[in-house]
Amino acid sequence: MLKDTELDFIRLSKYLVFASAEDDRNVVLFDPRNLGILEVYEDEAPLAPKSMVYSKEYGYLLGKNKTKTILNFWKMKQTKPLQKCPLPENIMSLALSSSQVYCLGGGQSGSVYIWSTLTGDIEKKFVAHNKGVLSLRLSGDDSLVFTASEDASIKVWTLVSIFGSKSDIFTTHQGRRDGIPQPLYTLLGHIDRVTNIWINSNLSDLLASVSADRTARIWDISKGIEIKKLSFDSALTSCVFDSQEEFLFIGNKKGVIKSVKLHDQTEIFSDEGEAQPIRDSKLTMVDFIGHKGEVTCLAFESEGYVLISGGEDKQIIIWSVNGTIVKTLNLLTSAISNLLIIERPAEYQKEDTRKKSKRPISFSPFSKFEEAKKSEKRKNDPIFLEKNDGSVDILRDLRKCRENMSIDNILLEEFSNSLNSNPTTTSRTMRSEPKKENDSEQSQEIEKLKDINRILFNRLYTCLLYTSDAADDLLCVDLGGRRIIKKKNI
């Protein structure tokens, strides 16, 4: 018989969970209501840690290949990757904006790449850190970007400064306009690599960070200051707030999850209406014991108000906020590397509640090159007709394809002449020719139309193939994308 906590979780759950493992080539999508596996997404290699994001708007799962610099795109209910896009370097962390317009990747070199999901272009690349970017987050309104690195620092960036850094109002501290984005804040305090950061998507001012230096820190991002430091006896690996920011959950290498109660909800504000500083409050901690190895990832499900954790022991554990184990799952064959909770997509809702509307236009394949390199590459490709501003004019490309369809035009002209030389079907009804002869002429005309349609289709197919820039290297194919390349007839 199910416990009360299990019944509550099953009754309230409106979410699904993606899970991947370090040495498992499959990504599992399971339903926490009945713990059944809904899909198993396949690839030739496992996914890298902290490299899985999901687009609710477009129905895409994105994950970075662990052994290659390739980003995989899966569609809901399609187990094979729809696209495989080469990346400019080894990406160590991924984040998707709330608007679904931008996807951010943190590189091993310390650079951050920002792709437009609609065009696939790299809209911006900038150097954020001296070493690899281990964690990336965005604020709920997409106005702030948070980066955490192996260099032990955390930086807060405004999206406006990243894209508008050449403006007069964005300059370096020396007053030079060099086009390099400058962080709004640099949060210093950790003395070893920052393994994870977390901020809730509800326009919160609290940012949590954990580090291999055995400390967790809570920051006020509105002021760029540290408001609480917590020390532990083991290196820390992951962290997450609950939806109300009443608890901070911290995972460590010993397999213990620390539940830190930040405040009581009734004592958040003082009599003057000002927030009570967390640094002055007495924090209580509770240990969640269940994993037999390092806690690798944490996720919080807000509707059912439960914590989900993955560990080196291959287990996925569902917890209540008081530390009670609701369920223990063994779905994968190695250490858990990614956990991602998503709102139940329309594809997995009941028939009577499923949304009938179609999803918007899909993601474009992500580009490996920046716009300058792409423009240089296109100069040598006659199919790409550049505007003065360097962009691709699809209409002009289509006009060029039409010019190459001379055979079709000749056939159409011959067919048009044949129709003009023969009486129309309407006029035939006034003639005294036999009905069988009329039927024969109509059949011939239909066959000619079929031949012309077949030729037109073949010509269009050979001239237009929608794919990504990386398709030239046979690494990425998107039959619903934007780019146009030449392809030989098959």
Side-chain angles (χ1 to χ4, degrees):
M1 185 174 179
L2 295 176
K3 301 176 183 178
D4 291 340
T5 52
E6 296 175 8
L7 289 172
D8 289 341
F9 177 61
I10 293 173
R11 182 167 52 248
L12 293 176
S13 176
K14 297 180 181 178
Y15 294 83
L16 300 180
V17 183
F18 283 111
S20 68
E22 288 186 1
D23 300 321
D24 200 317
R25 295 183 297 176
N26 297 328
V27 178
V28 174
L29 176 66
F30 68 92
D31 185 349
R33 289 184 179 179
N34 52 28
L35 307 181
I37 296 177
L38 298 178
E39 297 289 350
V40 178
Y41 298 90
E42 304 171 359
D43 191 27
E44 60 186 12
L47 293 187
K50 302 174 185 175
S51 66
M52 187 165 64
V53 294
Y54 170 73
S55 169
K56 173 186 174 183
E57 186 73 15
Y58 301 99
Y60 269 99
L61 172 68
L62 282 63
K64 193 266 174 185
N65 189 298
K66 183 179 178 181
T67 59
K68 300 179 181 179
T69 54
I70 290 177
L71 185 65
N72 294 334
F73 288 62
W74 287 275
K75 282 289 279 185
M76 290 282 96
K77 293 202 169 184
Q78 295 183 12
T79 58
K80 299 290 185 181
L82 181 67
Q83 303 165 6
K84 289 190 175 184
C85 301
L87 297 168
E89 64 168 294
N90 183 30
I91 298 298
M92 306 180 75
S93 54
L94 280 176
L96 191 65
S97 65
S98 300
S99 63
Q100 322 271 297
V101 173
Y102 298 115
C103 182
L104 285 72
Q108 191 172 8
S109 66
S111 297
V112 172
Y113 299 83
I114 303 180
W115 286 273
S116 166
T117 59
L118 299 179
T119 65
D121 295 333
I122 297 178
E123 298 291 341
K124 190 71 177 181
K125 173 195 171 184
F126 64 97
V127 178
H129 295 272
N130 298 324
K131 296 183 179 180
V133 181
L134 295 179
S135 189
L136 266 175
R137 302 289 175 194
L138 287 96
S139 59
D141 59 357
D142 294 340
S143 62
L144 298 177
V145 177
F146 307 90
T147 60
S149 172
E150 291 177 321
D151 64 10
S153 70
I154 303 166
K155 293 185 180 181
V156 184
W157 312 79
T158 64
L159 207 59
V160 173
S161 69
I162 292 173
F163 285 108
S165 56
K166 294 182 180 181
S167 172
D168 290 340
I169 61 173
F170 297 107
T171 58
T172 64
H173 62 281
Q174 296 176 343
R176 293 181 293 105
R177 279 182 242 140
D178 52 9
I180 301 175
Q182 298 299 306
L184 179 65
Y185 300 117
T186 299
L187 308 179
L188 301 175
H190 291 293
I191 59 174
D192 203 342
R193 67 183 184 277
V194 182
T195 53
N196 196 21
I197 56 175
W198 186 267
I199 183 170
N200 279 349
S201 58
N202 55 358
L203 303 181
S204 170
D205 286 337
L206 294 183
L207 174 75
S209 63
V210 293
S211 170
D213 65 4
R214 304 182 181 183
T215 66
R217 297 170 189 264
I218 302 174
W219 312 83
D220 183 348
I221 59 172
S222 65
K223 301 176 181 177
I225 60 173
E226 176 188 311
I227 58 176
K228 195 69 178 179
K229 173 185 174 182
L230 304 170
S231 299
F232 300 91
D233 60 354
S234 177
L236 307 180
T237 57
S238 52
C239 64
V240 66
F241 285 116
D242 73 308
S243 56
Q244 302 298 324
E245 293 183 346
E246 183 179 356
F247 297 95
L248 172 63
F249 302 98
I250 301 168
N252 66 21
K253 280 189 169 291
K254 290 185 177 181
V256 179
I257 300 173
K258 301 284 186 178
S259 172
V260 183
K261 191 169 185 180
L262 302 179
H263 49 65
D264 292 325
Q265 290 297 312
T266 57
E267 298 178 356
I268 298 178
F269 298 97
S270 64
D271 295 337
E272 291 78 16
E274 297 181 356
Q276 295 283 3
I278 294 178
R279 68 156 63 93
D280 298 335
S281 61
K282 295 181 180 179
L283 305 184
T284 58
M285 297 188 191
V286 176
D287 291 349
F288 290 12
I289 308 295
H291 286 289
K292 298 178 181 178
E294 175 184 335
V295 178
T296 54
C297 44
L298 294 172
F300 191 82
E301 196 271 280
S302 58
E303 191 70 24
Y305 217 68
V306 292
L307 177 72
I308 302 180
S309 64
E312 225 173 25
D313 56 2
K314 312 174 189 178
Q315 291 186 336
I316 298 173
I317 301 179
I318 302 173
W319 310 79
S320 65
V321 291
N322 59 11
T324 303
I325 295 179
V326 177
K327 280 291 180 181
T328 300
L329 309 175
N330 293 280
L331 303 178
L332 297 165
T333 59
S334 59
I336 308 301
S337 58
N338 288 284
L339 280 177
L340 182 63
I341 298 177
I342 67 168
E343 242 182 83
R344 183 178 293 273
E347 291 86 345
Y348 296 99
Q349 294 178 5
K350 295 181 180 180
E351 290 291 338
D352 55 344
T353 59
R354 186 177 298 173
K355 296 179 180 179
K356 301 298 181 182
S357 59
K358 295 182 179 180
R359 290 190 182 276
I361 192 168
S362 61
F363 277 13
S364 290
F366 287 5
S367 173
K368 179 179 180 179
F369 303 103
E370 294 180 77
E371 196 61 37
K373 294 182 180 179
K374 286 168 58 181
S375 298
E376 184 67 27
K377 181 180 178 182
R378 288 170 181 163
K379 288 180 182 179
N380 302 322
D381 192 345
I383 195 64
F384 284 98
L385 304 177
E386 304 288 341
K387 289 182 180 178
N388 294 331
D389 60 358
S391 60
V392 177
D393 191 338
I394 300 298
L395 294 178
R396 292 175 62 187
D397 292 341
L398 290 173
R399 284 196 292 271
K400 184 171 180 63
C401 289
R402 292 195 191 101
E403 293 173 3
N404 295 331
M405 297 170 63
S406 57
I407 297 177
D408 305 332
N409 294 334
I410 292 173
L411 289 174
L412 285 171
E413 184 177 356
E414 290 178 353
F415 178 67
S416 177
N417 292 335
S418 66
L419 290 179
N420 293 332
S421 62
N422 295 326
T424 62
T425 305
T426 305
S427 63
R428 284 196 204 103
T429 59
M430 303 178 62
R431 295 168 58 181
S432 60
E433 295 178 357
K435 186 176 184 299
K436 290 184 179 179
E437 186 177 349
N438 292 342
D439 293 340
S440 176
E441 291 179 0
Q442 291 179 5
S443 299
Q444 291 177 4
E445 292 174 3
I446 291 173
E447 289 301 321
K448 286 184 179 180
L449 284 172
K450 289 182 179 179
D451 291 338
I452 291 173
N453 286 335
R454 191 178 300 110
I455 292 173
L456 286 172
F457 175 81
N458 290 335
R459 289 292 295 171
L460 285 170
Y461 179 76
T462 57
C463 287
L464 295 179
L465 177 67
Y466 290 91
T467 180
S468 75
D469 295 335
D472 297 330
D473 302 324
L474 300 180
L475 290 175
C476 179
V477 176
D478 176 21
L479 299 181
R482 313 292 181 283
R483 302 295 183 262
I484 302 176
I485 65 169
K486 287 183 177 178
K487 183 176 177 65
K488 294 181 180 179
N489 199 359
I490 54 175

